[in-house]
Amino acid sequence: VYKTDSWTDYSAIIPFTVAQQSFGIEGGTSMIIANTSDSRNIDSIIEQIKARLPAVEAFRRQEAPSRISPLFSSLQGIASGITVVVTLGAIIGAVNSNLNNLRERARAFAIFKAIGASQSQMVRLILLEALILGSLGALVGLAIGYAILQFLSIPISEGLSVRIELLPSIFAYGGALVVGASFVASLYPALRVA
């Protein structure tokens, strides 16, 4: 088992003949993974493989889940749909919460207006508050999610499980989604209060 900071992390490296026997494909191969030193050559290499071995499927790593199993492709679609529904629900809930919160603070906003605050200053104040709260919520949520995912693994067979790979890009996307949803949810209440 090697720690390489690549996709081979936590992999058991075994002889090819042992793998063939384990998976019941003696004398055959289920998959060959090729790494390139220059990523600009990937399409050229894929075309060369297809030309020389027409019966073989060659594709990029990002396409692997949907090519290997249609189940993965449908799971990605379902996960995307769930993300959209949850985000819309969160925005609607946050709009309602913001409206109630701002309604309770109507007296403070009236005082701001009375001492000369402009409409744009009121809107900026409310949007800045929403961005700060959204950023704090994203940080806390991402920290909790990261801590929980550190201990999760997916069982493949008896005695064998795969750890979830934690990609920084996914956490960045999640953080941006939370902050963006918080901002969008505060637009209508900010304009209404102003």
Side-chain angles (χ1 to χ4, degrees):
V1 178
Y2 296 92
K3 177 78 173 110
T4 62
D5 290 324
S6 70
W7 66 271
T8 57
D9 282 356
Y10 312 110
S11 299
I13 309 300
I14 59 175
F16 188 56
T17 53
V18 174
Q20 288 177 320
Q21 292 168 357
S22 300
F23 294 109
I25 51 171
E26 287 148 40
T29 302
S30 62
M31 182 186 318
I32 295 174
I33 298 173
N35 289 320
T36 63
S37 56
D38 186 356
S39 61
R40 294 175 294 189
N41 296 333
I42 292 175
D43 291 326
S44 169
I45 292 169
I46 289 173
E47 291 306 317
Q48 290 176 35
I49 291 171
K50 287 180 178 178
R52 292 186 180 147
L53 303 166
V56 172
E57 281 192 84
F59 45 83
R60 292 174 173 268
R61 182 178 63 197
Q62 297 90 336
E63 301 170 11
S66 59
R67 293 288 188 98
I68 293 171
S69 171
L71 175 66
F72 284 118
S73 180
S74 61
L75 286 176
Q76 287 175 332
I78 291 169
S80 298
I82 289 172
T83 301
V84 168
V85 169
V86 168
T87 302
L88 289 175
I91 289 173
I92 291 169
V95 166
N96 185 38
S97 177
N98 284 338
L99 284 172
N100 288 335
N101 181 21
L102 297 175
R103 201 174 299 123
E104 290 173 4
R105 294 166 47 201
R107 180 175 288 159
F109 290 118
I111 293 170
F112 287 153
K113 292 285 273 186
I115 60 174
S118 69
Q119 184 175 0
S120 66
Q121 287 175 322
M122 300 284 286
V123 170
R124 278 189 303 217
L125 176 72
I126 294 167
L127 293 178
L128 181 62
E129 181 181 290
L131 283 175
I132 290 170
L133 289 173
S135 298
L136 288 173
L139 286 174
V140 170
L142 291 173
I144 291 170
Y146 182 82
I148 290 172
L149 290 174
Q150 285 291 312
F151 300 106
L152 286 182
S153 60
I154 301 169
I156 293 178
S157 64
E158 191 176 317
L160 179 63
S161 62
V162 176
R163 290 177 54 91
I164 296 173
E165 187 176 354
L166 303 175
L167 300 173
S169 59
I170 298 295
F171 285 92
Y173 170 75
L177 187 64
V178 170
V179 172
S182 176
F183 181 78
V184 168
S186 66
L187 285 173
Y188 173 70
L191 294 172
R192 185 161 173 188
V193 166

